[in-house]
Amino acid sequence: MAKIIEEISRTFSEYLIIPGLTTKQHTLDNVNLQTPLVRFKKGQEPAISLNIPFVSSIMQSVSDSGLAIALAKEGGLSFIYGSQSVQEQARMVKEVKNYKAGFVESRANITPEHTLKDVIELKERTGFSTIGVTHDGTPNGTFLGLITGRDYRLTKDSPEMKVKDFMTPFADLITAENGLTLSEANDIIWEHKLNTLPVLGENQTLKYFVFRKDYESHKEYPNELSDSHKRLIVGAGINTRDYQERVPALVEAGVDVMCIDSSDGFSEWQKDTIHYIKNNFGSDILVGAGNVVDRDGFMYLAEAGADFVKVGVGGGSICITREQKGIGRGQATSIIEVAKARDEYFKKTGDYVPICSDGGIVQDYHMTLALAMGADFLMMGRYFARFDESPTRKLLIGGNYVKEYWGEGSNRARNWQRYDMGGNSNLKFEEGVDSYVPYAGKLKDNLEMTTGKIKSTMCSCGVTSIKELQAEAKLTLVSSTSIIEGGAHDVIVKETKN
């Protein structure tokens, strides 16, 4: 018969944190959320440390270049999804590495032959009111004009009116050539009283926009995650099928770290992928692996050379692996066991291999629990999919704004390489769903609130770093009735209007 593990598979919702002594030194300003991203030797520093313990999921509906830029500016990191062509993924990596603060690539574009109706649909879908008109509707096509809300009147103009008939044409616009500094761009904006300055490359191709509102609301990003050349740090997802083609292109594009994306990382295919990367590109090319849920899985990938190990099977909000295959484990139990294995491996070898908790986060306090249980950082999909910066459409459904969110194991993503079992087999069933998540606004605003909650909890524990949290925090199991006790109860809650 099968080996039966008697320990109950537990989730984050089954735990609470017991307060520790909060001294006068335990204030939010004194809390440091820096954490290692990749393997390092005892007494040394990791090649990359995160300034906040968050990375975004390797998903079509989450991690493109736009989110990667926004998250890196806040101190986290995105792994740009790999379920796309090698060329397009490499282009996104280059876009992040070439990003210049204040210079924004146009994410809403249209051709002159489209109509006002198309403009309105594009504006509703993307949320952007400034639209670049290019010859082919791409972000870097030949720049022909600009559309803002001042160029049309919905009450009087025909929906079938052509873009070319109401756009502000190139000849009437003040533009700048690529290569100028942000300070020079802002001087042009102020001198000519502009709201938007298009920045053009060779042959009149659109490169960036610089906005007056960004200058007026610009704040420094003290947590920005950047390399030694002051370029933003970015990751990329790979699979165990086409890595010999994908990895060289990503390395050439300047990727800082890669991660093998799979629902089950305890496999020889992941070992082969890691060995290929290390043997052909050297130990300086960093790659994480996963996902696993126990000591055996962690030890296998750590010994194979993984620079970090991702933990979690079936706990994502759009993942149905447990329903379909009966494979997985409660995320809290997984993290606790794998964290012990990481510490055991560190004591034995002197190599610290960080672990990433992937899935199982429902409430913000679950993030603090995951860190206290031993996770070095968290990978999240649903959390980031809600923001303006994610690549999906914003829709109005039932009177509420939502954003699309689908799993890599869904038929929509068609990311079958993620579920590779070798040979020529094909995935015959889905392990993810297609869904919506409530729209939440800008990443920066939400992230500040979330990290504030984590820091506040850490102060209540009497700690100021993640390592201290892992060493000092006390956790307690909760009963179903104590969960009810912890929320609003025995009262009639007033309805509030937004």
Side-chain angles (χ1 to χ4, degrees):
M1 63 175 290
K3 179 181 178 181
I4 307 297
I5 297 175
E6 298 293 343
E7 180 185 5
I8 296 174
S9 179
R10 298 191 182 278
T11 67
F12 295 134
S13 293
E14 296 175 79
Y15 291 87
L16 285 174
I17 302 174
I18 295 176
L21 173 63
T22 303
T23 73
K24 295 177 181 179
Q25 299 301 313
H26 294 114
T27 64
L28 270 63
D29 290 342
N30 288 333
V31 175
N32 185 349
L33 294 180
Q34 190 174 71
T35 189
L37 176 73
V38 293
R39 177 192 293 251
F40 62 95
K41 291 189 177 297
K42 185 176 182 180
Q44 298 181 0
E45 294 294 321
I48 302 175
S49 288
L50 300 168
N51 292 325
I52 58 172
F54 299 145
V55 300
S56 65
S57 296
I58 310 168
M59 300 173 68
Q60 295 173 7
S61 56
V62 179
S63 297
D64 69 345
S65 53
L67 189 97
I69 290 169
L71 185 51
K73 287 164 69 174
E74 298 298 333
L77 178 125
S78 288
F79 287 93
I80 291 177
Y81 67 94
S83 51
Q84 59 178 321
S85 71
V86 173
Q87 294 74 21
E88 185 62 15
Q89 188 184 26
R91 184 197 67 79
M92 287 189 182
V93 169
K94 288 180 181 177
E95 186 178 324
V96 179
K97 298 307 293 184
N98 292 333
Y99 171 79
K100 296 184 292 183
F103 292 82
V104 181
E105 182 170 287
S106 178
R107 299 183 71 189
N109 304 281
I110 207 162
T111 73
E113 297 302 319
H114 279 88
T115 65
L116 176 57
K117 179 182 178 182
D118 296 321
V119 170
I120 300 306
E121 290 177 352
L122 180 62
K123 181 179 177 180
E124 291 178 349
R125 185 171 71 249
T126 64
F128 297 111
S129 58
T130 299
I131 298 173
V133 183
T134 59
H135 79 288
D136 58 358
T138 65
N140 301 121
T142 302
F143 182 62
L144 301 176
L146 190 68
I147 299 173
T148 69
R150 295 179 299 179
D151 291 310
Y152 55 87
R153 293 181 296 176
L154 293 178
T155 55
K156 293 188 176 183
D157 292 332
S158 168
E160 303 305 319
M161 183 170 57
K162 294 278 190 179
V163 165
K164 62 184 178 183
D165 294 328
F166 66 87
M167 70 181 186
T168 302
F170 172 76
D172 294 342
L173 291 167
I174 294 173
T175 63
E177 293 185 6
N178 190 32
L180 81 169
T181 66
L182 182 59
S183 177
E184 291 169 338
N186 284 321
D187 286 344
I188 295 173
I189 287 174
W190 282 97
E191 180 182 350
H192 296 279
K193 300 181 180 180
L194 306 176
N195 287 321
T196 306
L197 176 67
V199 179
L200 309 182
E202 294 181 0
N203 301 318
Q204 203 176 306
T205 55
L206 178 60
K207 299 297 291 184
Y208 308 105
F209 287 138
V210 180
F211 296 100
R212 172 185 289 265
K213 63 180 177 62
D214 287 344
Y215 174 83
E216 293 175 341
S217 64
H218 179 70
K219 296 180 180 179
E220 292 186 0
Y221 295 90
N223 287 327
E224 186 174 272
L225 192 66
S226 57
D227 61 23
S228 58
H229 300 290
K230 302 301 181 182
R231 300 174 302 179
L232 297 180
I233 290 178
V234 63
I238 60 175
N239 61 67
T240 58
R241 283 278 190 173
D242 65 4
Y243 59 88
Q244 294 188 31
E245 175 189 3
R246 191 171 294 272
V247 170
L250 293 172
V251 171
E252 192 277 331
V255 73
D256 296 284
V257 58
M258 293 172 284
C259 183
I260 306 171
D261 182 29
S262 174
S263 66
D264 178 12
F266 194 1
S267 78
E268 288 187 341
W269 290 282
Q270 292 224 357
K271 180 180 179 180
D272 290 345
T273 304
I274 295 169
H275 285 181
Y276 165 81
I277 293 171
K278 299 300 182 180
N279 291 338
N280 287 275
F281 298 94
S283 59
D284 290 340
I285 301 301
L286 307 170
V287 57
N291 288 18
V292 301
V293 296
D294 64 1
R295 176 188 182 278
D296 292 343
F298 171 85
M299 288 296 186
Y300 183 83
L301 294 178
E303 290 168 358
D307 291 297
F308 66 85
V309 174
K310 206 143 60 81
V311 181
V313 172
S317 60
I318 40 69
C319 183
I320 55 174
T321 295
R322 296 180 192 175
E323 293 179 11
Q324 294 281 42
K325 296 172 63 176
I327 294 289
R329 197 179 200 185
Q331 190 68 4
T333 301
S334 300
I335 291 296
I336 291 169
E337 180 172 326
V338 174
K340 290 178 180 177
R342 175 204 57 205
D343 295 344
E344 176 189 339
Y345 186 82
F346 180 55
K347 185 176 181 181
K348 176 183 175 182
T349 67
D351 276 8
Y352 187 91
V353 180
I355 62 173
C356 168
S357 178
D358 180 15
I361 301 294
V362 181
Q363 306 291 340
D364 279 1
Y365 80 89
H366 291 170
M367 302 176 192
T368 316
L369 278 168
L371 296 170
M373 289 172 179
D376 294 285
F377 58 97
L378 316 177
M379 176 174 280
M380 298 183 291
R382 179 191 61 85
Y383 179 85
F384 290 111
R386 303 173 302 146
F387 303 146
D388 284 324
E389 294 83 357
S390 75
T392 60
R393 296 185 298 170
K394 184 176 79 171
L395 305 171
L396 182 63
I397 297 181
N400 296 306
Y401 281 106
V402 297
K403 293 205 74 176
E404 294 178 301
Y405 180 48
W406 60 91
E408 288 298 292
S410 67
N411 189 60
R412 180 171 182 173
R414 305 193 67 80
N415 185 10
W416 306 146
Q417 293 100 327
R418 192 174 193 269
Y419 303 86
D420 185 22
M421 290 296 173
N424 295 315
S425 62
N426 293 316
L427 184 68
K428 300 298 184 184
F429 53 89
E430 295 184 74
E431 293 189 42
V433 299
D434 200 339
S435 64
Y436 302 110
V437 290
Y439 168 68
K442 293 187 178 298
L443 178 146
K444 182 179 181 64
D445 297 338
N446 286 273
L447 205 54
E448 286 178 351
M449 177 67 73
T450 297
T451 54
K453 290 180 183 179
I454 293 175
K455 289 180 177 181
S456 180
T457 303
M458 290 172 66
C459 289
S460 293
C461 292
V463 300
T464 56
S465 71
I466 292 175
K467 279 303 173 189
E468 285 183 10
L469 177 69
Q470 293 167 349
E472 304 295 336
K474 294 179 290 184
L475 307 182
T476 181
L477 284 166
V478 297
S479 67
S480 56
T481 52
S482 69
I483 293 174
I484 297 172
E485 178 187 65
H489 60 88
D490 301 316
V491 295
I492 301 173
V493 179
K494 294 180 180 179
E495 292 186 6
T496 58
K497 295 182 179 180
N498 293 329

